[in-house]
Amino acid sequence: QVQLVESGGGLVQPGGSLRLSCAASGSIWVINAMGWYRQAPGKERELVATSRGSTHYADSVKGRFTISRDNAKNTVYLQMNSLKPEDTAIYFCNAMILSTNTGTYNNYWGQGTQVTVSS
């Protein structure tokens, strides 16, 4: 079993900052890519940022969000600055993990954490 657990969401005013964390645990052999997605009400889930050696960001968050990883802790972070109301969404952690149980790479998701940007 592999689990991804997010933390760090909450309510913040426009222009504020939040830092999300996602820790992977369980039967992990190798973690390949890790990233963050988000889903706003009535919209499809969209990519925010990924980290696989290099990093990739959605145009809407470039210059404001930073993804980073602590490979020793199997953890990925998302530092979000200059937050806007349109950043309001449920943020999901995603990881491509080679499990010791299955011997194959599978895509795993966290349960999501709510980020609300409002005055």
Side-chain angles (χ1 to χ4, degrees):
Q1 287 280 37
V2 173
Q3 300 87 33
L4 300 181
V5 178
E6 299 111 333
S7 61
L11 173 64
V12 64
Q13 292 187 341
S17 298
L18 281 175
R19 188 191 194 209
L20 305 183
S21 300
C22 171
S25 63
S27 306
I28 297 169
W29 190 358
V30 176
I31 298 179
N32 192 344
M34 297 189 83
W36 293 92
Y37 289 71
R38 68 186 181 186
Q39 188 166 17
K43 295 187 177 181
E44 294 186 354
R45 190 172 298 189
E46 63 176 4
L47 180 145
V48 176
T50 60
S51 174
R52 182 187 177 186
S54 60
T55 56
H56 172 76
Y57 297 92
D59 288 342
S60 59
V61 307
K62 281 181 182 177
R64 300 188 297 121
F65 291 11
T66 302
I67 188 170
S68 61
R69 287 170 65 170
D70 184 335
N71 291 327
K73 296 181 179 180
N74 291 337
T75 298
V76 64
Y77 305 95
L78 186 67
Q79 178 66 44
M80 304 185 293
N81 299 327
S82 302
L83 282 160
K84 305 175 181 180
E86 50 264 43
D87 295 318
T88 295
I90 299 174
Y91 284 70
F92 296 91
C93 175
N94 173 265
M96 185 65 68
I97 296 174
L98 178 59
S99 168
T100 57
N101 283 347
T102 65
T104 60
Y105 276 101
N106 289 289
N107 203 26
Y108 294 91
W109 292 92
Q111 80 286 356
T113 184
Q114 177 70 47
V115 172
T116 302
V117 185
S118 175
S119 55

